Amino acid sequence: MNTKPWKHPLGQAAIVVVLAYLLFEWGIWLLPPLFGVASAPVPATVVLQYMGTVVVGVLIWVSDSEERWKQFKAPIHRVMVDPRQKVLRTALMVTIPLLVAFMTFDRVRPTVSAPAALRSVHPAPPGQIDFRGETMVLNGLENPLRHEGDLEAHYEEGKRIYVQNCMPCHGDALDGQGHFASAFNPAPLSFQDPGTIVQLTESFVFWRIAKGGPGLPREATPWDSAMPAWEDLLTAEEIWQVTIYLYEQTGWEPRTWEEEGAEGEEH
Amino acid sequence: MLKTNLSILAVVIGCLGVFTWVANAIPQIQSDVPEDLVLSDDVSPEELIAAGEELYNGGGGCTACHGLGERAPNLLTDHAGTGLIGERCANRVAGEDCKQYLHTSMVDPNAYLVEGFAPIMLDASRTLSSVQIWALVAYLQSLGGEVTVTGADFADDGGAAAAGGVVASAPAAPVLGPTGPLDPEELLTRHTCATCHAVTGQSPLGPSYEGMGSRLTADEIRTSILDPTASAAEGFEEMLGIMPPIFGNIPAAELEAIVQFIASQR
Amino acid sequence: MRPGVEITSERNVPKPGMTWRSGAGPILLLGALALLVMAEPAFAQVPAGRDYGDFPVIGGRAAVWIAAQVHLLFAAFVLGVPMFAVVTEAIGMFGGDERYDKLSKEFTRLLLVAYSATAIWGGILLFLLVTIYPTLFSYLAQIFNLSMWIYVGLFFFESFTLYLYYYGWDRWKKGRAKWFHWGLGIALNVWGTIVMFIANGWLTYMMSPPADVTVDTAPQMVQLWSALTNATWMPINIHRLIANVVFGGAVVGAYAAYRFLAAKSDEERAHYDWMGYVGNMIAIGALIVLPFAGYWLGREIYEFNQQMGITMMGGFMSWLWIIQAFLIGVLFLAGNYYLWVGMGRIPGAERFMPYTKYMLAVLIVGVIVWATPNTMIASREEFAAMGGTHHPFLSVLGLMSGKNTAVNFMILTTFLSFLLYRRANKEPVVPWARTGTIVQGAIFVVASAIVLFYGIYGYMVPTIVRIGFSVYQVLTVLACIIGVITIDLLMLRGATSRGEIQWGRMPERSQYALFILAVTFTWLMGLMGFARSGIRQHWHVFEVIRDTSPWAATPALGYSSVVISACVLIFFGLVAFIFWLGSLAEKPVISSVGQASAAGGIQSELQPAPSEG
């Protein structure tokens, strides 16, 4: 055993495996952003799959020549039979089963996370909803307060309602960064995001506020959105007012029904 | 040798074990059978929607294309800014209301091909019953629109005749295979039509079918068969009432074959 | 073709009172129609009351599934092996190398015992079908009656040709008799191929019945010839012909590996080492062309019915292709491993050994890319971190462009391995040897560049254009293989040897690679069988006859994999038993070679001619 570890097949194999693990676990996640390419942590199942492939590759490499295979096996063999290696042998005999046991435990141990599923962020709304015992047809419904009363007053009222009820999660800048936001998964939506309320009609927003997480249809499952159903706490007028506040404050225009009809004709 | 045999066995079993484990580690998806749907005439829209939704996501196989991919228009959410399917369906084709448009799109998918997509969809009536198709229409209407499908649409089941205008306007009415055993001339004989009406030339009693398709629409022909006293052909006014009103018991598919056949005699 | 129709109608025309004997065609037709009229309502009632048998514990479907799959595995073996048995016999005849003749005879001996197993499992399948799916079977029998009779007849011819071929081997060994014997081998292949084509007609009919057959079509009205020659018939025929060769080669390789491990003498080891090498070469060689047949089959399925194609590639079976990628990765790695380990017994191969690690790296990267799923399995936290089910960086690899590029590189690498193996102990003597090698290298570089270019360019064009690119990539690889091998053949003419291949000096672990190859091929066949049969979903005959049995739902991959594993186990268990029986009854073929070695020297006899690849 005079050779340096990195010259010995066993050492080289270990180095390759460790480097591959670092690459899959951290490299794919952290390196592309340095070059301006988006990336994210790799799911455990994929890392496992990649590592399996690499380990098979390493085994092929160490055993495809008789000489290398003997070299590779020699230290393992020595550890298993040499009387002088008793301490190391015993240590391995204890740690390896323990490691396997721990990995097994870690896999089967119950966790609190919900099962994985595909989730649609903007599910299709129902044609009509039942609001405090009254049937509201959402299709074609517009914010009634836009045409009655003082818009400024509605806005101020909506602001009060927002700060009292919505701000803790959706944030004072309406960006989904409220105090509680980081505790939720899925996270509260940012209204500043060009992918949220600007894509929706006010009736859709009304529906989401009124029915909250519990009222999500099936394609938006699992039902772990923390959004409460506000219909029991706010009146219809209050919900319309806070809707006005959301659009006025962010500067977005709500999507309107006529516009869609016109677009529809083009097709 | 025992050792060799055992290690061979271990390699074989190990291989099979790994393959089986991998196949079990991936998501397990079973392809369910679309269930036969039985709904009464006075079915509520909610029941229809629920049945349609189940079909859409399950046995109907719709999501293979109309999911979130790019093979077909997305039916669950907005498509190219035209709104949800329940909203946009009424605007797609002039003169076809939402219900009619959706139904035609299913039984004759290439009639109103959405721009930008290939004509790959198949006639849904090949795999789904009439009730199932109407349930799907109801479900799609419910996505942002008002459900107008009622039990009347499929009251007579088999659906073809009862749904009247809607189905008749769809060229591919179910069960009418072009060269299937529904040979219209044979049907004419079997249902005793040929006793009085000849296909060509002089008829024994009633008007000949020759050229009838150019005078009457399929709807009128169907009405005349089901209710012979409703109107009389020119020159046969005196015979009104001779043709008996007994042909309502012809099975819908066969009646449809006869009607189409007569309508094609120009 | 026509007679089939006639007979079908005649058989079903009620005898009494009808005047069909007068021979007037229209009356016959009328009679058939009358019958149809009577039968039609009854037939329409059938779906509601169609009865199915049951099978204890595993259920009727699994019973038929296993019987069909095991029958098919044996059938593939007995159809694949004669194809290369005849070729090796011809090499022996024309090349004058006795060794190939012996090899061919040994192939045929395996065939003999496997043949009865094929028939037994065919019988099991038939009886299970009749008892568990009686209505479906009678429907198929009404359409295919004539072809079933022909099938049985051909089966008879095939068996007796096989007996003559094997037992007449030593009798018709010389001169014109040998030609006759070889002719028997050809006939054996002809019978086998027709038998397979007929059976393929039945199962492809269930997959893709002719368009004019609908739910209302009575089976008597289906024309036999149009039912047999349906849309997917020919693609399946070709696909199975090639796959049978692959499978036969792999099983022969496993047999040789077993005999190698069990061998008591060096002569035996040398012989079975060589046989395993030939089996492996046949399997891998045929495997390389298999994707073309598969591509054709896939296209025909799409053309027959888009929905069926989408069910297969993108619907509930989409994960099946990830498993397939994994299995083919195993095949590539095991095949290359066998070649690399085998270099240890070739003098001169040490020149190339340092390069294997780079080829291995390419293969590993290829497998990683190829098996990267587009939609990943992950926990909620991981999805949250990725922002969806698609990884922002890795999902690039999950697309078709990346995968095609990876698999083409894997094919190129395997081909390079093979080339180096071939070249290992040879020293070209032609004056342009150096230029030739450089040209070969250049072809490789250009081919790789083209494959890579289309792989990357594929990300920048719409899907419809990208699909065409895979054809360019595959054609490039094919052209590269043909070009390089042509140069190689010319260049190595009369090449001097650096020493003969030392057959038998092979580490035992290489033989386990052959086992892995055989098991993986077999399992892959089972998996693809499930895919082919499963895309019918809840139909016995697609969109014609509904499956109304309790097992109508198409099972998920997990359950299927258990059934497939069971089939593979049964198959190899029986094969092992049969081969063991064979070794009990007969002296090993090698013993005669052993005696010959006393006179002529085994070592030289067992070495392949320099031209052998």
Side-chain angles (χ1 to χ4, degrees), chain B residues 12-257:
Chain B
V12 172
I13 301 272
C15 248
L16 294 180
V18 170
F19 297 161
T20 312
W21 174 73
V22 171
N24 277 283
I26 57 165
Q28 298 296 307
I29 313 165
Q30 171 167 317
S31 162
D32 286 321
V33 183
E35 292 202 14
D36 286 334
L37 196 58
V38 181
L39 294 172
S40 60
D41 295 357
D42 54 351
V43 62
S44 73
E46 286 73 28
E47 284 175 88
L48 268 175
I49 294 169
E53 183 177 1
E54 199 171 324
L55 265 175
Y56 185 88
N57 293 308
C62 314
T63 45
C65 299
H66 295 285
L68 300 169
E70 47 188 47
R71 288 189 197 103
N74 191 348
L75 297 179
L76 284 180
T77 54
D78 171 76
H79 171 68
T82 53
L84 296 160
I85 184 67
E87 309 165 32
R88 67 182 190 246
C89 53
N91 306 325
R92 285 269 298 123
V93 177
E96 292 244 328
D97 66 18
C98 177
K99 180 168 85 173
Q100 218 171 331
Y101 165 73
L102 287 174
H103 189 269
T104 309
S105 301
M106 270 195 271
V107 296
D108 183 17
N110 300 336
Y112 310 124
L113 193 64
V114 178
E115 203 179 316
F117 294 100
I120 62 169
M121 182 171 158
L122 291 168
D123 176 1
S125 64
R126 284 190 68 135
T127 51
L128 300 174
S129 72
S130 159
V131 185
Q132 287 175 319
I133 293 175
W134 283 113
L136 279 168
V137 172
Y139 169 61
L140 293 178
Q141 282 190 322
S142 78
L143 299 174
E146 190 189 348
V147 178
T148 55
V149 179
T150 63
D153 285 312
F154 50 85
D156 239 16
D157 202 24
V166 179
V167 175
S169 69
V175 298
L176 283 185
T179 57
L182 289 182
D183 179 351
E185 301 212 29
E186 184 271 325
L187 291 173
L188 292 177
T189 313
R190 179 144 56 90
H191 295 297
T192 66
C193 316
T195 318
C196 303
H197 303 272
V199 175
T200 51
Q202 184 69 36
S203 270
L205 198 56
S208 159
Y209 292 140
E210 197 170 358
M212 201 178 269
S214 52
R215 297 199 304 273
L216 302 173
T217 66
D219 273 350
E220 289 168 325
I221 294 169
R222 192 182 302 104
T223 312
S224 301
I225 296 174
L226 295 174
D227 182 10
T229 54
S231 63
E234 208 179 333
F236 291 87
E237 287 87 352
E238 288 169 16
M239 294 196 182
L240 201 66
I242 290 184
M243 179 166 161
I246 56 168
F247 297 103
N249 61 1
I250 299 177
E254 298 184 7
L255 177 68
E256 208 45 39

Side-chain angles (χ1 to χ4, degrees), chain A residues 55-104:
Chain A
V55 168
V56 168
V58 165
L59 284 177
I60 287 178
W61 172 69
V62 293
S63 68
D64 75 353
S65 115
E66 194 60 38
E67 205 180 325
R68 198 182 300 135
W69 183 231
K70 277 187 189 135
Q71 261 188 314
F72 177 78
K73 284 192 299 185
I76 303 173
H77 189 257
R78 198 163 53 238
V79 169
M80 297 321 265
V81 297
D82 193 341
R84 283 170 298 175
Q85 304 281 353
K86 191 170 179 200
V87 178
L88 181 57
R89 177 160 65 237
T90 317
L92 284 176
M93 289 293 179
V94 173
T95 45
I96 290 177
L98 271 182
L99 203 65
V100 172
F102 174 75
M103 280 160 67
T104 312

Side-chain angles (χ1 to χ4, degrees), chain C residues 162-211:
Chain C
L162 176 65
Y163 294 148
L164 276 179
Y165 186 57
Y166 180 69
Y167 290 107
W169 203 289
D170 294 322
R171 180 161 189 148
W172 299 309
K173 212 169 168 55
K174 296 275 180 289
R176 285 173 64 184
K178 185 68 181 167
W179 279 95
F180 167 70
H181 184 258
W182 192 57
L184 280 178
I186 302 270
L188 184 61
N189 276 297
V190 172
W191 302 139
T193 307
I194 301 177
V195 160
M196 185 185 77
F197 277 25
I198 293 177
N200 286 351
W202 306 337
L203 64 97
T204 49
Y205 172 79
M206 293 169 73
M207 242 173 110
S208 55

Side-chain angles (χ1 to χ4, degrees), chain B residues 1 4-5 7-8 11 16 19-20 23-24 26 28-31 33-34 65 70 122 126-127 175 179 181 186 190, chain C residues 36-37 212 216 258 261-262 305 310 316 327 463 512 520 523 537-538 543 546 552-554 556-558 561 565:
Chain B
M1 197 55 214
T4 312
N5 278 333
S7 40
I8 293 172
V11 167
L16 294 180
F19 297 161
T20 312
N24 277 283
I26 57 165
Q28 298 296 307
I29 313 165
Q30 171 167 317
S31 162
V33 183
C65 299
E70 47 188 47
L122 291 168
R126 284 190 68 135
T127 51
V175 298
T179 57
E186 184 271 325
R190 179 144 56 90
Chain C
L36 183 69
V37 169
D212 57 352
D216 304 304
Y258 177 75
L261 293 176
N305 186 317
I310 288 166
F316 93 102
L327 291 173
T463 318
Y512 291 102
T520 311
W523 211 87
Q537 296 183 296
H538 53 279
E543 292 187 351
R546 267 286 284 269
T554 315
L557 268 170
S561 69
S565 293

